């Protein structure tokens, strides 16, 4: 096998090439590389940690659930059905032969991922977690598959063991408001599990009457909250109750992702009227949009009251390819970003709540244009606003550099959220956080090399970005459990 | 003349300054510098190659037809009339004295072009094609003029000789759907000409009823296609026939440039109704726009059927300065970009045709914002979509770097189109392709230096970007002739 | 005090880290570092120079009037009232104790400014103007306060002495059209003051009938101009008269800042009708907007007639946080940028006046997207258009690099405005101009290192950007006084 190109991780990877900058970057990185991981926003199912069942195979762990990976194979002509996407969960684990074929497809197309963070993370995982030393290819696919599969069969690769090995101190999940959070309770009450796994309140579907399931969801909300949602006041009270329930179960934030972040308020009378019409299935599309924008403002009001950090992840055209959605469902790779606008959209919300003591609003974007134009200027004035780290398509080395370059000059570092991985790819968590630490070290080293920042200050900043910034922005400094 | 600054081309030009990166860039560039040129989209008149007439003078070759050059002189206060722009073609060649004065104007204003790719290309052409060794200036203008004029009078500088010397393997022209493609046929049938010159179907004016000439054009379409275009079905059939005619003459792509790329379809009945109204001169502006957007979708449908690659070059405000258009006509430098939007605009088209086997859609933009936000995410999911190379104003060193930086992290390299020169400046073709090769070598070298890509993979990628990517995106791998 | 980190200015600050580029940058910078300052647009009150009163304290000089500084303290949780903002001018100077507390707040939060140009400028000022050698912190705040306060009490730190020490050759202020310009006249007629201080015509409030004070302002305009503004013709005549008055007092430019730069003209009849309605308090919001857009075109027409350079600073959401505006007034840090659009918006204006001999239109933006997409292409065709230097939030090192990178490839250097400081922070003027010179030297050095520009040309360009470009764009080469 020695003829095959090897896979290894260079200790200087992602550091700027200039030797002077690189020297400083190495020193800064040394101070942060071993710090525990704080992951204040992500999509790992908490049930993986409660059940602690071994992962079945490389494909089900590293390919199928990760639309970052599957979408590029799809672009290369591989049907999602060949990757295990959209399988009926009742059908049991992916048959070994199918899993192996999918794995081969990935390895054969390894060249397609050149220059992407997906490849960077996967290489990091293959080497660091599984000890793989061969570059993936058609020739090496089976060998690598077998090596990972063998590892996954051992106790050292069960979810909890990996959680400990990854050095995760806090892991936030993303949860439906009607979720009973039993898994979170179970983890909290389990003396053998010492990590902190907290839920996140994600109410999007309950705030958009235009979604087909809205009426059913609002009915369910009534049941779960034990508050009648037949009228607008009850609906608000039920949402408030579920938020409190999440707070009691350790949640520190509520996450929102709509097509835009407009927040024009309605009068209570008008809001109640549209709510009634929507419950009767008679709200117009324009009324549904107006109601959703109004409710985003209400979420801010509730955040001022119950303390949940408000985070926004807007401006994505969901399920862009209709046939794919019909066949495979949501979150399989056909979401495409659209232009974002925050300044005008958030003005009503910020004029009311922007200086409310303790209110935190973390703004994420995939549309890079708004970093220097809108997000940094907003966070540079409002004590409530934080600029969120690059997310999704722009959670990538050069995009992260552009982000620091675009926001630092207007807000420095203290008003940025710290890194979030936002991932459902559990094994990529260490690689993603390490990537962010390397890039921030490199960025700070550049400031030092240009004599814009003293090295002692750069070091303090590098540590703060890992330790303090996410704790501050996401209010994680409260008592643990 | 030795007191004058010299002109020369440094072998390391455009490579990153960092010595470590530059070393790698040199190695990568060595592997691609001599590869033949594939030019899948451009504006060279094929008649230059059939007639093979000597170019008359430096101005008519290098200034007059190149709005990149003339627009900057215009900005500097030089009227377009002094540069031969807008001359009646019947009036014969530009008088020598006028040509010489125009050349002097360019040389006197050489400093205005500092830092622009126009200057970079011109310097490359002056040195590499014409052997000029003096930096252009008021003092050297006449000497350089004479040197180029003398060269142009020789057989070695006729179009075909240059075509061979430039190492052009494929050259696509841009042609009107009613063109009989006689020049292409003549070149194909000429045993003494071994290059491949293929037409491109460019139907814009036939798809926009708002254009004053539309009715006449649709009449002419009927004549040329020998299909009655009195009704909508005939119009579609005539367009389909002309596309087939282009395919039979070697075309592999159809190019489209409208103000936007919206593709909302009309029902056949509604399309037919608007077509009828437009033919009668009674379609409203809104109907004209709706029809054009519908027809862009129809072009995609036809591409699925006849295999022509669909390329989009949208979002330009044509003829921004009305008096210039009135006096000098189109394409003389007053076209100005506007904001582009692809995600929402293309959703109807892509939901229908985005996964059609064999459909190719190459998306170009001058609005850089959409690279990371829209184009790379689209190409990272749809097997039909390719991200086109930077074009026009952003076919420039730093813009090309921004392009690679913006798209690679989401789609890697395999989903990019490869370089297109899109030029009517024949002599700039080698310089433009060489520039792209140097910049891609530099970009890849940066990935190697940061340990994000192994050098053997970078080398393979550099070669693919020149050789395979344009062939794949533009379907050039079919049988030649 | 030696345990405290020191503050010093590295001679190579802001130069690129690569040693090869840095060497060239040093040489270029040497040629421009001592050149006099030309400041063609800013907000220093001319009364400071006529009165020449000593500045009272560090806070009133360096914090209170500078919303760049106060907004970040506000974001960090410090109320603007604690920084002297919004104080009644009648109430006399800020009490020493309050000034000292505000200064401490700044020094305690010094880390929040890491990586920002605000910090860069302040450090430059502290070291270079006041000789401070301690890094600001809670521990050093009082020492530094005392050191600056002691300096301010001396004659060497009065406004005129600083004006001379800063090497300011031209300083433009920004003035209301009804201002009698007495201060400018006084400075012009004072044989002991040799600087050139010129007014700028800033008519925004007179052009927007939607502003509550518009009718009163137009009344005042009549009084000051001694021309009845009861009808539209009189209103135009009064504006023209005040522009002439400014020209007679040395003004070379008129500055405009509205939400957008649309310039669709109204017929004179329609303009007169809306004017009448607005004077009667009966114009609709849409009519007010249409009138303002029409008037922006009229300002261009007047500029063609009286020669005032037209400068545009659009696309800011003013007073975004309503409670702050109510309590503290305008210009205190809650202005937030919005998306800008120039191509379509300026088409009516440029089609009429874009090639008018002598007309100058300098386009500024905080929305970086338009640099490569719109501003550079416009300036690369229209002889009247100049691309303004980065302004406000993007007057910052990395943003300035992005600006050069975005515009140079389309328009080179000659069509850019040269640096403007646009500041009300008098002491920051030398630091800001020096920053721009360092950055332009670094950018040009990069071109040299990549063999895209010869070093002699880079040197000539570096000098031109400081000396000639602002003189050309702002027509400052006329007779002084």
């Amino acid at each position: 096998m020695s003829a095959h190109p090897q896979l290894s991780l260079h200790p200087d990877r992602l550091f700027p090439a200039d030797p002077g900058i690189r020297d400083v970057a190495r020193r800064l990185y040394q101070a942060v590389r071993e710090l525990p991981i704080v992951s204040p926003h992500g999509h790992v199912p908490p049930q993986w940690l409660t059940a602690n069942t071994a992962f079945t195979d490389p494909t089900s762990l590293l390919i199928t659930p990760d639309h970052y990976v599957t979408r590029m194979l799809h672009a290369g002509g591989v049907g999602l059905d060949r990757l295990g996407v959209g399988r009926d969960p009742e059908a049991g684990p992916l048959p070994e032969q199918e899993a192996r074929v999918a794995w081969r497809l990935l390895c054969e197309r390894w060249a397609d991922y050149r220059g992407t963070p997906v490849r960077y993370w996967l290489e990091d995982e293959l080497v660091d977690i599984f000890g793989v030393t061969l570059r993936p290819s058609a020739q090496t696919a089976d060998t690598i598959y077998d090596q990972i599969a063998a590892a996954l069969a051992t106790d050292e690769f069960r979810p909890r063991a990996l959680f400990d090995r990854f050095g995760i101190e806090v892991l936030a999940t993303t949860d439906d408001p009607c979720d009973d959070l039993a898994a979170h309770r179970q983890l909290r009450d389990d003396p053998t599990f010492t990590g902190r796994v907290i839920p996140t309140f994600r109410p999007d579907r309950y705030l958009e009457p235009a979604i087909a399931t809205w009426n059913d969801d609002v009915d369910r909300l009534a049941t779960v909250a034990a508050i009648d949602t037949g009228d607008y006041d009850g609906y608000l009270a039920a949402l408030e109750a579920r938020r409190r329930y999440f707070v009691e179960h350790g949640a520190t934030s509520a996450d929102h992702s709509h097509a835009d972040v407009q927040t024009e308020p309605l009068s209570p009378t008008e809001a109640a009227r549209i709510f009634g019409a929507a419950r009767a299935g008679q709200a117009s599309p324009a009324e549904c949009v107006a109601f959703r924008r109004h409710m985003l403002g209400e979420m801010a009001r509730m955040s001022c009251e119950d303390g949940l950090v408000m985070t926004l992840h807007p401006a994505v055209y969901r399920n862009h390819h209709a046939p794919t959605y019909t066949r495979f469902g949501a979150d399989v790779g056909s979401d495409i970003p659209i232009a974002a606008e925050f300044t005008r959209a958030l003005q009503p919300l910020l004029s009311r709540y922007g200086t409310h003591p303790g209110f935190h609003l973390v703004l994420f974007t995939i549309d890079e244009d708004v970093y220097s134009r809108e997000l940094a200027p907003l966070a540079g004035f409002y004590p409530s606003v934080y600029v969120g780290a690059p997310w999704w398509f722009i959670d990538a080395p050069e995009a992260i550099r552009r982000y620091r370059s675009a926001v630092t000059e207007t807000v420095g570092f203290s008003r940025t959220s710290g890194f979030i991985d936002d991932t459902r790819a559990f094994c990529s968590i260490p690689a993603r956080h390490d990537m962010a630490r390397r890039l921030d070290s490199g960025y700070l080293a550049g400031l030092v090399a240009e004599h814009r920042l003293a090295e002692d200050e750069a070091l303090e900043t590098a540590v703060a970005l890992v330790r303090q910034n996410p704790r501050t922005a996401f209010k994680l400094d409260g008592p643990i459990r």
Side-chain angles (χ1 to χ4, degrees), chain A:
Chain A
M1 230 42 187
S2 70
H4 287 294
Q6 300 291 299
L7 201 61
S8 65
L9 304 177
H10 196 285
D12 286 337
R13 62 194 185 278
L14 292 183
F15 293 155
D18 177 83
I21 302 180
R22 185 169 282 189
D23 273 354
V24 181
R26 282 190 194 115
R27 289 196 291 272
L28 301 179
Y29 175 66
Q30 282 310 316
V32 296
R33 61 176 297 190
E34 300 290 358
L35 293 179
I37 287 174
V38 175
S39 174
H41 182 74
H43 295 270
V44 172
Q47 290 76 11
W48 288 6
L49 294 164
T50 50
N52 201 31
T53 311
F55 296 108
T56 54
D57 63 85
T59 295
S60 302
L61 178 63
L62 300 174
I63 299 178
T64 308
D66 191 350
H67 56 67
Y68 288 67
V69 175
T70 57
R71 74 191 313 273
M72 287 189 70
L73 287 171
H74 182 266
V78 177
L80 295 178
D81 56 314
R82 301 176 70 192
L83 304 171
V85 176
R87 262 176 71 82
D88 181 357
E90 306 296 303
L94 195 65
E96 205 261 341
Q97 191 46 34
E98 287 186 39
R100 194 173 282 275
V101 167
W103 185 259
R104 268 185 220 136
L105 287 166
L106 173 66
C107 293
E108 285 165 7
R109 282 156 178 79
W110 200 241
D112 288 355
Y113 292 88
R114 286 176 185 161
T116 68
V118 174
R119 169 135 157 188
Y120 180 90
W121 297 322
L122 283 173
E123 288 187 350
D124 201 317
E125 297 167 53
L126 291 177
V127 175
D128 234 30
I129 303 179
F130 298 103
V132 171
T133 57
L134 294 170
R135 186 192 293 169
S137 69
Q139 288 72 43
T140 62
D142 282 335
T143 307
I144 298 173
Y145 184 94
D146 292 337
Q147 183 175 352
I148 299 174
L152 292 179
T154 67
D155 283 348
E156 288 73 27
F157 289 85
R158 286 180 185 261
R160 287 194 181 190
L162 290 177
F163 188 96
D164 288 343
R165 177 169 162 195
F166 293 168
I168 300 175
E169 190 175 289
V170 183
L171 180 75
T173 63
T174 296
D175 309 274
D176 190 280
C178 289
D179 193 299
D180 62 7
L181 306 180
H184 295 84
R185 217 162 38 232
Q186 190 179 334
L187 288 171
R188 189 190 60 188
D189 296 342
D190 182 346
T192 70
F193 182 76
T194 56
R196 183 178 173 196
V197 178
I198 60 177
T200 300
F201 188 79
R202 175 75 173 259
D204 299 350
R205 59 192 305 149
Y206 299 86
L207 308 181
E208 296 225 27
I211 297 176
T213 55
W214 181 78
N215 251 313
D216 290 345
D217 287 334
V218 175
D219 285 343
R220 195 155 41 93
L221 183 66
T223 308
V224 172
I227 296 175
D228 183 4
T229 58
D231 65 14
Y232 176 64
D233 287 345
Y235 165 75
L236 290 183
L239 284 168
E240 288 167 346
R242 292 313 296 167
R243 293 173 62 104
R244 279 196 304 275
Y245 186 83
F246 270 64
V247 170
E248 288 158 9
H249 284 74
T252 70
S253 70
D255 185 43
H256 305 271
S257 180
H258 301 284
D260 62 61
V261 294
Q262 291 193 44
T263 55
E264 192 63 34
L266 302 171
S267 70
T269 315
E270 178 67 358
R273 186 191 67 73
I274 296 179
F275 179 83
R279 290 293 272 161
Q282 290 169 350
S284 72
E287 287 175 332
C288 290
V289 167
F291 186 80
R292 181 251 292 168
R293 291 172 177 169
H294 165 78
M295 283 307 299
L296 201 58
E298 282 299 284
M299 289 293 116
R301 195 254 308 153
M302 293 181 198
S303 274
C304 290
E305 291 168 7
D306 61 27
L308 283 178
V309 174
M310 184 175 199
T311 66
L312 300 181
H313 287 90
V316 181
Y317 193 118
R318 301 278 176 182
N319 309 308
H320 193 264
H321 189 241
T324 292
Y325 177 62
T326 303
R327 179 160 174 206
F328 297 101
D331 298 326
V332 299
S334 91
D335 299 342
I336 310 287
I338 52 178
E341 202 283 334
F342 289 81
T343 301
R344 288 189 177 101
L346 290 177
Q347 198 276 334
L349 186 159
L350 286 170
S351 231
R352 282 179 294 160
Y353 309 117
T355 58
H356 184 92
F359 178 51
H360 283 200
L361 177 64
V362 190
L363 304 176
F364 294 90
T365 183
I366 320 181
D367 179 1
E368 301 185 47
D369 296 350
V370 298
Y371 279 133
S372 88
R373 188 179 68 213
E374 305 181 23
L375 300 195
L378 286 167
F381 175 76
Y382 287 102
S384 54
V385 176
Y386 293 82
V387 186
W391 155 61
W392 202 339
F393 296 103
I394 58 173
D395 178 9
E398 296 174 49
I400 288 174
R401 288 173 183 155
R402 290 194 295 269
Y403 157 77
R404 285 284 174 216
S405 177
V407 309
T408 305
E409 301 189 319
T410 293
V411 289
F413 298 93
S414 63
R415 315 289 312 156
T416 60
S417 72
F419 183 69
I420 63 152
D421 54 69
D422 192 31
T423 193
R424 53 197 87 219
F426 183 52
C427 286
S428 75
I429 290 177
R432 286 170 189 250
H433 285 261
D434 182 69
M435 184 174 96
R437 293 173 189 191
R438 289 175 176 274
L439 292 164
D440 282 342
S441 297
Y443 180 73
L444 287 159
L447 295 182
V448 173
E450 292 188 359
H451 308 289
R452 295 160 67 189
L453 195 63
E455 190 168 332
D456 68 301
E457 295 194 276
L459 191 74
E460 201 175 275
T461 303
V463 172
L465 287 175
V466 174
R467 263 209 189 117
Q468 197 52 52
N469 285 46
R471 283 181 173 74
T472 299
F474 284 87
K475 298 188 179 175
L476 297 171
D477 268 337
I480 297 183
R481 300 203 180 180

